[in-house]
Amino acid sequence: FSCLASLHDQRDARGLRYSLVTVLVFIVLAKLAGEDRLRGIAEWVMQRKEELSEALGLCCAQAPHASTYSRILGRAVNVVELERVVSQFFASQAQAGRSVVIALDGKTLRGTIAAGETRGVHLLAAYVADEGWVMMQVEVAGWENEVGAAMRVVKCLDLRGKVVTGDAMMAQRHLSNQVVRAGGDYVWTVKENQSELREDIKVLFEPEVCLAGTSPVAKDFRRASTIDKGHGRIEQRSLTASSFLKGYLDWPYAEQVFQLERESVRVKDGKVSRQVAYGVTSLTAKQASPRRLLELVRSHWQIENGLHYRRDETLREDHCHLRMGQAAQVMAVINNLVLGLLLRKGARNVPQQRRRLAAHPHEAIQLILSHPT
């Protein structure tokens, strides 16, 4: 509550009925309790206005109309300031930032795509997966792609001792340079957008064809595997790492390359699917064993499953058609805040936790008012 109270209200102070912090806290509380649309948020607050007013120390029990929320989200909030305040809130908590892995990935707010258009607001986030909060989130401008936004993000973060992970789009020379020069390391998957790099890595791991009387070149392959069962599948992942191409690859600070093989067996019918992916990292073999690299590659996808999927499917972000000003982007930051609060509370099943808070709103209020521990 105190962090949100520090925000600058961009409205004219004359005639205001609701303070900015009050409205934002109302939204956060309603979303914690399972409401995602502005009309539902407004009704949830209306039905609890006496209880909320008492808990928040408001002078009178009143509740805004849904259109008021829309105007405040669109015009009263500076989204850059809100993003900074939310990030600082999580960064100030006990043991925050101890995780070394930062995942970079982008997401389009599909509800902002106008009829006849193909592009809406697109955001890129730096996510601390092990701690469940977003360090920084920026809009990808219309004249740039995710890589340009990623460059702006990594320039703003303290990457000393951190490992930045990304999908194949992030496998760019200048981004790799920036990460390492800032004191961090990178782990990228590599696909056709870096065709020469991918081909060099692929050839290394292919069986070597030897002429008669010759033997294959000795290589330093190291391997780790995991087997998991869940969602009706048995999945085996095997990662083979090598430092053999160090000094040969035309890639900044490349220390190791790896091949990741995935084999999935569907339990009900035994159908098998196989995938092979390649990657490159600035981590040395001493810094990251094959098992560690496998953990890093898998942890990257928590930004999809733990953040973007939850924002879409649980918080219904893509079904939210906020078009006024920066309302959609402000709501995306609020969604990050809500998920961060729930995950910090220990929730693993977010819908279940929201149902609990809907039945016990005083717990949601306490979550907003209590000092982080």
Side-chain angles (χ1 to χ4, degrees):
F1 184 96
S2 61
C3 288
L4 293 178
S6 69
L7 293 170
H8 171 67
D9 192 338
Q10 298 185 140
R11 297 172 295 170
D12 190 321
R14 292 173 296 180
L16 294 183
R17 296 182 63 190
Y18 304 98
S19 69
L20 179 58
V21 64
T22 298
V23 173
L24 291 178
V25 166
F26 280 169
I27 294 172
V28 172
L29 289 172
K31 290 191 74 70
L32 284 169
E35 298 294 339
D36 295 312
R37 297 182 181 275
L38 290 186
R39 186 174 297 277
I41 290 171
E43 291 179 2
W44 187 90
V45 173
M46 176 66 72
Q47 294 172 13
R48 296 162 179 81
K49 60 183 180 181
E50 288 80 10
E51 179 183 357
L52 294 176
S53 297
E54 181 181 356
L56 300 177
L58 305 181
C59 59
C60 56
Q62 56 183 2
H65 187 271
S67 60
T68 302
Y69 289 106
S70 180
R71 287 195 301 272
I72 289 176
L73 290 176
R75 298 171 180 167
V77 184
N78 181 313
V79 69
V80 175
E81 184 186 18
L82 176 63
E83 175 64 46
R84 185 181 70 251
V85 165
V86 170
S87 176
Q88 289 174 347
F89 166 75
F90 286 113
S92 68
Q93 297 183 37
Q95 302 188 15
R98 300 184 72 175
S99 172
V100 300
V101 184
I102 302 173
L104 296 177
D105 196 29
K107 177 187 183 299
T108 296
L109 306 182
R110 299 189 183 279
T112 64
I113 302 176
E117 300 291 333
T118 59
R119 182 182 175 91
V121 175
H122 193 80
L123 305 176
L124 182 112
Y127 184 60
V128 187
D130 292 342
E131 300 174 18
W133 60 285
V134 175
M135 294 186 75
M136 187 175 182
Q137 181 172 269
V138 299
E139 182 177 2
V140 180
W143 45 265
E144 66 178 352
N145 57 20
E146 286 187 8
V147 178
M151 285 291 291
R152 289 191 280 122
V153 168
V154 299
K155 287 178 180 179
C156 295
L157 299 179
D158 182 359
L159 298 182
R160 291 173 295 180
K162 304 295 185 182
V163 178
V164 180
T165 64
D167 59 18
M169 182 176 289
M170 299 299 157
Q172 305 291 334
R173 288 176 172 82
H174 54 291
L175 184 57
S176 301
N177 263 315
Q178 178 65 36
V179 170
V180 177
R181 288 174 180 173
D185 286 289
Y186 62 80
V187 177
W188 313 133
T189 53
V190 177
K191 291 186 178 179
E192 286 74 12
N193 63 321
Q194 296 292 346
S195 57
E196 183 177 344
L197 175 63
R198 182 183 185 278
E199 186 62 24
D200 286 339
I201 300 173
K202 180 182 177 182
V203 169
L204 174 67
F205 291 106
E206 287 180 341
E208 188 174 345
V209 178
C210 301
L211 298 175
T214 64
S215 58
V217 175
K219 296 172 183 173
D220 63 338
F221 289 171
R222 304 174 310 279
R223 185 180 176 91
S225 299
T226 61
I227 298 178
D228 299 294
K229 182 176 181 181
H231 305 288
R233 298 189 301 271
I234 300 174
E235 189 166 83
Q236 178 173 344
R237 296 179 179 87
S238 300
L239 185 142
T240 306
S242 172
S243 302
F244 199 74
L245 297 182
K246 178 183 176 180
Y248 170 78
L249 290 178
D250 179 23
W251 196 264
Y253 302 103
E255 289 285 343
Q256 295 188 84
V257 296
F258 57 86
Q259 174 182 268
L260 177 62
E261 300 170 282
R262 304 184 187 92
E263 182 177 286
S264 178
V265 180
R266 197 160 61 188
V267 175
K268 70 176 183 179
D269 57 9
K271 182 179 179 180
V272 178
S273 61
R274 294 182 176 87
Q275 294 178 312
V276 178
Y278 301 98
V280 62
T281 178
S282 61
L283 292 165
T284 65
K286 185 176 181 179
Q287 290 175 306
S289 66
R291 184 165 297 279
R292 176 57 175 160
L293 287 176
L294 186 54
E295 292 171 355
L296 290 170
V297 173
R298 292 193 65 182
S299 72
H300 173 74
W301 297 110
Q302 291 185 52
I303 192 171
E304 287 288 346
N305 300 327
L307 181 67
H308 293 162
Y309 179 84
R310 281 170 168 157
R311 277 168 49 181
D312 283 345
E313 296 300 319
T314 303
L315 303 182
R316 310 296 287 171
E317 186 170 272
D318 279 353
H319 296 267
C320 184
H321 297 277
L322 294 174
R323 302 282 174 80
M324 186 180 294
Q326 292 186 306
Q329 194 171 342
V330 170
M331 187 62 84
V333 179
I334 292 174
N335 287 339
N336 289 340
L337 171 59
V338 168
L339 288 174
L341 288 170
L342 291 173
L343 295 174
R344 179 181 170 276
K345 184 178 170 65
R348 287 297 174 263
N349 186 323
V350 173
Q352 182 184 66
Q353 188 63 36
R354 294 177 88 198
R355 288 190 291 270
R356 173 174 178 79
L357 294 178
H360 305 280
H362 62 280
E363 293 186 13
I365 294 171
Q366 186 62 27
L367 191 59
I368 293 297
L369 297 180
S370 61
H371 191 279
T373 57

PDB file of all heavy atoms in Angstrom, residues 223-252:
ATOM      1  N   ARG A 223      27.605 -35.416 -20.583  1.00  0.00           N
ATOM      2  CA  ARG A 223      26.174 -35.655 -20.788  1.00  0.00           C
ATOM      3  C   ARG A 223      25.442 -35.749 -19.447  1.00  0.00           C
ATOM      4  O   ARG A 223      25.981 -36.217 -18.444  1.00  0.00           O
ATOM      5  CB  ARG A 223      25.988 -36.963 -21.571  1.00  0.00           C
ATOM      6  CG  ARG A 223      24.558 -37.299 -21.962  1.00  0.00           C
ATOM      7  CD  ARG A 223      24.568 -38.631 -22.718  1.00  0.00           C
ATOM      8  NE  ARG A 223      23.241 -39.092 -23.061  1.00  0.00           N
ATOM      9  CZ  ARG A 223      22.612 -38.820 -24.193  1.00  0.00           C
ATOM     10  NH1 ARG A 223      23.220 -38.077 -25.113  1.00  0.00           N
ATOM     11  NH2 ARG A 223      21.410 -39.289 -24.445  1.00  0.00           N
ATOM     12  N   ALA A 224      24.204 -35.257 -19.443  1.00  0.00           N
ATOM     13  CA  ALA A 224      23.311 -35.380 -18.286  1.00  0.00           C
ATOM     14  C   ALA A 224      21.897 -35.612 -18.805  1.00  0.00           C
ATOM     15  O   ALA A 224      21.522 -35.126 -19.873  1.00  0.00           O
ATOM     16  CB  ALA A 224      23.361 -34.130 -17.416  1.00  0.00           C
ATOM     17  N   SER A 225      21.111 -36.370 -18.039  1.00  0.00           N
ATOM     18  CA  SER A 225      19.744 -36.704 -18.450  1.00  0.00           C
ATOM     19  C   SER A 225      18.792 -36.603 -17.270  1.00  0.00           C
ATOM     20  O   SER A 225      19.190 -36.773 -16.106  1.00  0.00           O
ATOM     21  CB  SER A 225      19.677 -38.127 -19.031  1.00  0.00           C
ATOM     22  OG  SER A 225      20.495 -38.258 -20.171  1.00  0.00           O
ATOM     23  N   THR A 226      17.532 -36.341 -17.581  1.00  0.00           N
ATOM     24  CA  THR A 226      16.460 -36.373 -16.582  1.00  0.00           C
ATOM     25  C   THR A 226      15.266 -37.088 -17.191  1.00  0.00           C
ATOM     26  O   THR A 226      15.064 -37.061 -18.414  1.00  0.00           O
ATOM     27  CB  THR A 226      16.031 -34.957 -16.155  1.00  0.00           C
ATOM     28  OG1 THR A 226      15.528 -34.247 -17.302  1.00  0.00           O
ATOM     29  CG2 THR A 226      17.181 -34.196 -15.527  1.00  0.00           C
ATOM     30  N   ILE A 227      14.470 -37.717 -16.331  1.00  0.00           N
ATOM     31  CA  ILE A 227      13.225 -38.366 -16.751  1.00  0.00           C
ATOM     32  C   ILE A 227      12.105 -37.863 -15.854  1.00  0.00           C
ATOM     33  O   ILE A 227      12.229 -37.887 -14.626  1.00  0.00           O
ATOM     34  CB  ILE A 227      13.324 -39.904 -16.677  1.00  0.00           C
ATOM     35  CG1 ILE A 227      14.420 -40.411 -17.623  1.00  0.00           C
ATOM     36  CG2 ILE A 227      11.982 -40.541 -17.028  1.00  0.00           C
ATOM     37  CD1 ILE A 227      14.610 -41.911 -17.570  1.00  0.00           C
ATOM     38  N   ASP A 228      11.025 -37.389 -16.468  1.00  0.00           N
ATOM     39  CA  ASP A 228       9.881 -36.874 -15.719  1.00  0.00           C
ATOM     40  C   ASP A 228       8.605 -37.514 -16.240  1.00  0.00           C
ATOM     41  O   ASP A 228       8.494 -37.826 -17.436  1.00  0.00           O
ATOM     42  CB  ASP A 228       9.775 -35.348 -15.855  1.00  0.00           C
ATOM     43  CG  ASP A 228      11.001 -34.641 -15.322  1.00  0.00           C
ATOM     44  OD1 ASP A 228      11.222 -34.720 -14.110  1.00  0.00           O
ATOM     45  OD2 ASP A 228      11.735 -34.045 -16.134  1.00  0.00           O
ATOM     46  N   LYS A 229       7.641 -37.640 -15.349  1.00  0.00           N
ATOM     47  CA  LYS A 229       6.321 -38.158 -15.734  1.00  0.00           C
ATOM     48  C   LYS A 229       5.270 -37.184 -15.249  1.00  0.00           C
ATOM     49  O   LYS A 229       5.257 -36.772 -14.087  1.00  0.00           O
ATOM     50  CB  LYS A 229       6.074 -39.533 -15.128  1.00  0.00           C
ATOM     51  CG  LYS A 229       4.731 -40.149 -15.548  1.00  0.00           C
ATOM     52  CD  LYS A 229       4.565 -41.553 -15.009  1.00  0.00           C
ATOM     53  CE  LYS A 229       3.232 -42.152 -15.469  1.00  0.00           C
ATOM     54  NZ  LYS A 229       3.037 -43.530 -14.939  1.00  0.00           N
ATOM     55  N   GLY A 230       4.401 -36.783 -16.157  1.00  0.00           N
ATOM     56  CA  GLY A 230       3.329 -35.856 -15.793  1.00  0.00           C
ATOM     57  C   GLY A 230       2.523 -35.477 -17.014  1.00  0.00           C
ATOM     58  O   GLY A 230       2.996 -35.587 -18.161  1.00  0.00           O
ATOM     59  N   HIS A 231       1.261 -35.075 -16.788  1.00  0.00           N
ATOM     60  CA  HIS A 231       0.360 -34.674 -17.868  1.00  0.00           C
ATOM     61  C   HIS A 231       0.209 -35.781 -18.918  1.00  0.00           C
ATOM     62  O   HIS A 231       0.080 -35.509 -20.122  1.00  0.00           O
ATOM     63  CB  HIS A 231       0.860 -33.401 -18.549  1.00  0.00           C
ATOM     64  CG  HIS A 231       1.076 -32.255 -17.594  1.00  0.00           C
ATOM     65  ND1 HIS A 231       0.034 -31.572 -17.008  1.00  0.00           N
ATOM     66  CD2 HIS A 231       2.218 -31.699 -17.114  1.00  0.00           C
ATOM     67  CE1 HIS A 231       0.521 -30.630 -16.206  1.00  0.00           C
ATOM     68  NE2 HIS A 231       1.842 -30.695 -16.242  1.00  0.00           N
ATOM     69  N   GLY A 232       0.245 -37.033 -18.451  1.00  0.00           N
ATOM     70  CA  GLY A 232       0.025 -38.160 -19.359  1.00  0.00           C
ATOM     71  C   GLY A 232       1.203 -38.493 -20.240  1.00  0.00           C
ATOM     72  O   GLY A 232       1.043 -39.213 -21.231  1.00  0.00           O
ATOM     73  N   ARG A 233       2.394 -37.987 -19.898  1.00  0.00           N
ATOM     74  CA  ARG A 233       3.571 -38.251 -20.724  1.00  0.00           C
ATOM     75  C   ARG A 233       4.761 -38.636 -19.854  1.00  0.00           C
ATOM     76  O   ARG A 233       4.866 -38.207 -18.704  1.00  0.00           O
ATOM     77  CB  ARG A 233       3.953 -37.017 -21.553  1.00  0.00           C
ATOM     78  CG  ARG A 233       2.912 -36.544 -22.535  1.00  0.00           C
ATOM     79  CD  ARG A 233       3.491 -35.459 -23.435  1.00  0.00           C
ATOM     80  NE  ARG A 233       3.970 -34.318 -22.665  1.00  0.00           N
ATOM     81  CZ  ARG A 233       3.228 -33.282 -22.333  1.00  0.00           C
ATOM     82  NH1 ARG A 233       1.958 -33.241 -22.672  1.00  0.00           N
ATOM     83  NH2 ARG A 233       3.748 -32.271 -21.654  1.00  0.00           N
ATOM     84  N   ILE A 234       5.639 -39.436 -20.432  1.00  0.00           N
ATOM     85  CA  ILE A 234       6.951 -39.695 -19.847  1.00  0.00           C
ATOM     86  C   ILE A 234       7.965 -38.996 -20.734  1.00  0.00           C
ATOM     87  O   ILE A 234       8.037 -39.260 -21.938  1.00  0.00           O
ATOM     88  CB  ILE A 234       7.257 -41.205 -19.766  1.00  0.00           C
ATOM     89  CG1 ILE A 234       6.223 -41.917 -18.893  1.00  0.00           C
ATOM     90  CG2 ILE A 234       8.666 -41.435 -19.213  1.00  0.00           C
ATOM     91  CD1 ILE A 234       6.371 -43.421 -18.887  1.00  0.00           C
ATOM     92  N   GLU A 235       8.719 -38.083 -20.159  1.00  0.00           N
ATOM     93  CA  GLU A 235       9.621 -37.258 -20.958  1.00  0.00           C
ATOM     94  C   GLU A 235      11.051 -37.400 -20.466  1.00  0.00           C
ATOM     95  O   GLU A 235      11.328 -37.250 -19.279  1.00  0.00           O
ATOM     96  CB  GLU A 235       9.183 -35.798 -20.892  1.00  0.00           C
ATOM     97  CG  GLU A 235       9.932 -34.889 -21.862  1.00  0.00           C
ATOM     98  CD  GLU A 235       9.258 -33.545 -22.024  1.00  0.00           C
ATOM     99  OE1 GLU A 235       9.513 -32.674 -21.164  1.00  0.00           O
ATOM    100  OE2 GLU A 235       8.475 -33.377 -22.979  1.00  0.00           O
ATOM    101  N   GLN A 236      11.933 -37.691 -21.395  1.00  0.00           N
ATOM    102  CA  GLN A 236      13.357 -37.770 -21.096  1.00  0.00           C
ATOM    103  C   GLN A 236      14.071 -36.634 -21.820  1.00  0.00           C
ATOM    104  O   GLN A 236      13.885 -36.419 -23.015  1.00  0.00           O
ATOM    105  CB  GLN A 236      13.957 -39.102 -21.525  1.00  0.00           C
ATOM    106  CG  GLN A 236      15.465 -39.184 -21.272  1.00  0.00           C
ATOM    107  CD  GLN A 236      16.039 -40.559 -21.529  1.00  0.00           C
ATOM    108  OE1 GLN A 236      15.313 -41.544 -21.617  1.00  0.00           O
ATOM    109  NE2 GLN A 236      17.349 -40.636 -21.653  1.00  0.00           N
ATOM    110  N   ARG A 237      14.888 -35.884 -21.075  1.00  0.00           N
ATOM    111  CA  ARG A 237      15.702 -34.815 -21.650  1.00  0.00           C
ATOM    112  C   ARG A 237      17.165 -35.167 -21.435  1.00  0.00           C
ATOM    113  O   ARG A 237      17.572 -35.481 -20.320  1.00  0.00           O
ATOM    114  CB  ARG A 237      15.394 -33.470 -20.991  1.00  0.00           C
ATOM    115  CG  ARG A 237      13.981 -32.960 -21.214  1.00  0.00           C
ATOM    116  CD  ARG A 237      13.798 -31.633 -20.491  1.00  0.00           C
ATOM    117  NE  ARG A 237      12.474 -31.065 -20.683  1.00  0.00           N
ATOM    118  CZ  ARG A 237      11.427 -31.346 -19.935  1.00  0.00           C
ATOM    119  NH1 ARG A 237      11.553 -32.193 -18.926  1.00  0.00           N
ATOM    120  NH2 ARG A 237      10.255 -30.791 -20.172  1.00  0.00           N
ATOM    121  N   SER A 238      17.933 -35.067 -22.500  1.00  0.00           N
ATOM    122  CA  SER A 238      19.368 -35.355 -22.426  1.00  0.00           C
ATOM    123  C   SER A 238      20.137 -34.194 -23.029  1.00  0.00           C
ATOM    124  O   SER A 238      19.847 -33.766 -24.154  1.00  0.00           O
ATOM    125  CB  SER A 238      19.697 -36.645 -23.185  1.00  0.00           C
ATOM    126  OG  SER A 238      18.997 -37.743 -22.634  1.00  0.00           O
ATOM    127  N   LEU A 239      21.095 -33.679 -22.270  1.00  0.00           N
ATOM    128  CA  LEU A 239      21.911 -32.573 -22.762  1.00  0.00           C
ATOM    129  C   LEU A 239      23.368 -33.011 -22.844  1.00  0.00           C
ATOM    130  O   LEU A 239      23.913 -33.543 -21.874  1.00  0.00           O
ATOM    131  CB  LEU A 239      21.777 -31.356 -21.847  1.00  0.00           C
ATOM    132  CG  LEU A 239      22.486 -30.083 -22.330  1.00  0.00           C
ATOM    133  CD1 LEU A 239      21.655 -28.841 -22.004  1.00  0.00           C
ATOM    134  CD2 LEU A 239      23.885 -29.950 -21.712  1.00  0.00           C
ATOM    135  N   THR A 240      23.953 -32.786 -23.997  1.00  0.00           N
ATOM    136  CA  THR A 240      25.371 -33.061 -24.215  1.00  0.00           C
ATOM    137  C   THR A 240      26.089 -31.743 -24.427  1.00  0.00           C
ATOM    138  O   THR A 240      25.701 -30.956 -25.300  1.00  0.00           O
ATOM    139  CB  THR A 240      25.574 -33.964 -25.439  1.00  0.00           C
ATOM    140  OG1 THR A 240      24.787 -35.153 -25.299  1.00  0.00           O
ATOM    141  CG2 THR A 240      27.036 -34.343 -25.586  1.00  0.00           C
ATOM    142  N   ALA A 241      27.104 -31.476 -23.626  1.00  0.00           N
ATOM    143  CA  ALA A 241      27.834 -30.206 -23.683  1.00  0.00           C
ATOM    144  C   ALA A 241      29.263 -30.439 -24.142  1.00  0.00           C
ATOM    145  O   ALA A 241      29.830 -31.528 -23.971  1.00  0.00           O
ATOM    146  CB  ALA A 241      27.830 -29.537 -22.311  1.00  0.00           C
ATOM    147  N   SER A 242      29.848 -29.393 -24.728  1.00  0.00           N
ATOM    148  CA  SER A 242      31.229 -29.494 -25.202  1.00  0.00           C
ATOM    149  C   SER A 242      31.864 -28.104 -25.229  1.00  0.00           C
ATOM    150  O   SER A 242      31.206 -27.106 -25.540  1.00  0.00           O
ATOM    151  CB  SER A 242      31.269 -30.098 -26.610  1.00  0.00           C
ATOM    152  OG  SER A 242      32.575 -30.036 -27.146  1.00  0.00           O
ATOM    153  N   SER A 243      33.155 -28.069 -24.905  1.00  0.00           N
ATOM    154  CA  SER A 243      33.946 -26.841 -25.040  1.00  0.00           C
ATOM    155  C   SER A 243      34.844 -26.911 -26.274  1.00  0.00           C
ATOM    156  O   SER A 243      35.738 -26.077 -26.455  1.00  0.00           O
ATOM    157  CB  SER A 243      34.825 -26.636 -23.793  1.00  0.00           C
ATOM    158  OG  SER A 243      34.049 -26.579 -22.626  1.00  0.00           O
ATOM    159  N   PHE A 244      34.602 -27.882 -27.134  1.00  0.00           N
ATOM    160  CA  PHE A 244      35.477 -28.177 -28.270  1.00  0.00           C
ATOM    161  C   PHE A 244      35.551 -27.016 -29.258  1.00  0.00           C
ATOM    162  O   PHE A 244      36.576 -26.810 -29.918  1.00  0.00           O
ATOM    163  CB  PHE A 244      34.974 -29.439 -28.981  1.00  0.00           C
ATOM    164  CG  PHE A 244      35.990 -30.097 -29.864  1.00  0.00           C
ATOM    165  CD1 PHE A 244      37.043 -30.816 -29.320  1.00  0.00           C
ATOM    166  CD2 PHE A 244      35.899 -29.990 -31.248  1.00  0.00           C
ATOM    167  CE1 PHE A 244      37.981 -31.427 -30.138  1.00  0.00           C
ATOM    168  CE2 PHE A 244      36.837 -30.593 -32.070  1.00  0.00           C
ATOM    169  CZ  PHE A 244      37.879 -31.311 -31.512  1.00  0.00           C
ATOM    170  N   LEU A 245      34.469 -26.229 -29.371  1.00  0.00           N
ATOM    171  CA  LEU A 245      34.424 -25.156 -30.367  1.00  0.00           C
ATOM    172  C   LEU A 245      34.882 -23.802 -29.812  1.00  0.00           C
ATOM    173  O   LEU A 245      34.823 -22.797 -30.521  1.00  0.00           O
ATOM    174  CB  LEU A 245      33.007 -25.019 -30.935  1.00  0.00           C
ATOM    175  CG  LEU A 245      32.473 -26.234 -31.694  1.00  0.00           C
ATOM    176  CD1 LEU A 245      31.082 -25.935 -32.243  1.00  0.00           C
ATOM    177  CD2 LEU A 245      33.411 -26.649 -32.819  1.00  0.00           C
ATOM    178  N   LYS A 246      35.314 -23.764 -28.561  1.00  0.00           N
ATOM    179  CA  LYS A 246      35.803 -22.510 -27.995  1.00  0.00           C
ATOM    180  C   LYS A 246      36.999 -22.008 -28.820  1.00  0.00           C
ATOM    181  O   LYS A 246      37.931 -22.745 -29.096  1.00  0.00           O
ATOM    182  CB  LYS A 246      36.225 -22.705 -26.535  1.00  0.00           C
ATOM    183  CG  LYS A 246      36.788 -21.448 -25.901  1.00  0.00           C
ATOM    184  CD  LYS A 246      37.276 -21.696 -24.480  1.00  0.00           C
ATOM    185  CE  LYS A 246      37.918 -20.439 -23.908  1.00  0.00           C
ATOM    186  NZ  LYS A 246      38.418 -20.629 -22.526  1.00  0.00           N
ATOM    187  N   GLY A 247      36.951 -20.755 -29.198  1.00  0.00           N
ATOM    188  CA  GLY A 247      38.013 -20.191 -30.020  1.00  0.00           C
ATOM    189  C   GLY A 247      37.810 -20.384 -31.501  1.00  0.00           C
ATOM    190  O   GLY A 247      38.463 -19.724 -32.324  1.00  0.00           O
ATOM    191  N   TYR A 248      36.906 -21.292 -31.887  1.00  0.00           N
ATOM    192  CA  TYR A 248      36.609 -21.525 -33.305  1.00  0.00           C
ATOM    193  C   TYR A 248      35.363 -20.764 -33.739  1.00  0.00           C
ATOM    194  O   TYR A 248      35.324 -20.175 -34.819  1.00  0.00           O
ATOM    195  CB  TYR A 248      36.432 -23.023 -33.554  1.00  0.00           C
ATOM    196  CG  TYR A 248      35.879 -23.337 -34.926  1.00  0.00           C
ATOM    197  CD1 TYR A 248      36.701 -23.306 -36.049  1.00  0.00           C
ATOM    198  CD2 TYR A 248      34.527 -23.633 -35.105  1.00  0.00           C
ATOM    199  CE1 TYR A 248      36.197 -23.576 -37.312  1.00  0.00           C
ATOM    200  CE2 TYR A 248      34.008 -23.907 -36.361  1.00  0.00           C
ATOM    201  CZ  TYR A 248      34.849 -23.868 -37.465  1.00  0.00           C
ATOM    202  OH  TYR A 248      34.342 -24.119 -38.711  1.00  0.00           O
ATOM    203  N   LEU A 249      34.348 -20.769 -32.877  1.00  0.00           N
ATOM    204  CA  LEU A 249      33.087 -20.128 -33.234  1.00  0.00           C
ATOM    205  C   LEU A 249      33.261 -18.624 -33.377  1.00  0.00           C
ATOM    206  O   LEU A 249      33.963 -17.982 -32.593  1.00  0.00           O
ATOM    207  CB  LEU A 249      32.021 -20.406 -32.171  1.00  0.00           C
ATOM    208  CG  LEU A 249      31.470 -21.825 -32.064  1.00  0.00           C
ATOM    209  CD1 LEU A 249      30.464 -21.885 -30.923  1.00  0.00           C
ATOM    210  CD2 LEU A 249      30.817 -22.253 -33.373  1.00  0.00           C
ATOM    211  N   ASP A 250      32.593 -18.069 -34.355  1.00  0.00           N
ATOM    212  CA  ASP A 250      32.536 -16.615 -34.516  1.00  0.00           C
ATOM    213  C   ASP A 250      31.375 -16.097 -33.670  1.00  0.00           C
ATOM    214  O   ASP A 250      30.345 -15.641 -34.185  1.00  0.00           O
ATOM    215  CB  ASP A 250      32.339 -16.263 -35.995  1.00  0.00           C
ATOM    216  CG  ASP A 250      32.257 -14.762 -36.223  1.00  0.00           C
ATOM    217  OD1 ASP A 250      32.770 -14.012 -35.366  1.00  0.00           O
ATOM    218  OD2 ASP A 250      31.649 -14.344 -37.243  1.00  0.00           O
ATOM    219  N   TRP A 251      31.574 -16.183 -32.358  1.00  0.00           N
ATOM    220  CA  TRP A 251      30.517 -15.778 -31.434  1.00  0.00           C
ATOM    221  C   TRP A 251      31.166 -15.231 -30.160  1.00  0.00           C
ATOM    222  O   TRP A 251      32.055 -15.857 -29.591  1.00  0.00           O
ATOM    223  CB  TRP A 251      29.611 -16.953 -31.088  1.00  0.00           C
ATOM    224  CG  TRP A 251      28.320 -16.504 -30.471  1.00  0.00           C
ATOM    225  CD1 TRP A 251      28.024 -16.426 -29.145  1.00  0.00           C
ATOM    226  CD2 TRP A 251      27.179 -16.030 -31.168  1.00  0.00           C
ATOM    227  NE1 TRP A 251      26.762 -15.933 -28.968  1.00  0.00           N
ATOM    228  CE2 TRP A 251      26.209 -15.677 -30.196  1.00  0.00           C
ATOM    229  CE3 TRP A 251      26.871 -15.863 -32.513  1.00  0.00           C
ATOM    230  CZ2 TRP A 251      24.965 -15.171 -30.542  1.00  0.00           C
ATOM    231  CZ3 TRP A 251      25.635 -15.364 -32.860  1.00  0.00           C
ATOM    232  CH2 TRP A 251      24.696 -15.029 -31.880  1.00  0.00           C
ATOM    233  N   PRO A 252      30.747 -14.060 -29.695  1.00  0.00           N
ATOM    234  CA  PRO A 252      31.413 -13.432 -28.541  1.00  0.00           C
ATOM    235  C   PRO A 252      31.285 -14.238 -27.260  1.00  0.00           C
ATOM    236  O   PRO A 252      30.184 -14.637 -26.884  1.00  0.00           O
ATOM    237  CB  PRO A 252      30.716 -12.071 -28.423  1.00  0.00           C
ATOM    238  CG  PRO A 252      29.412 -12.227 -29.134  1.00  0.00           C
ATOM    239  CD  PRO A 252      29.658 -13.218 -30.226  1.00  0.00           C
TER     240      PRO A 252
END
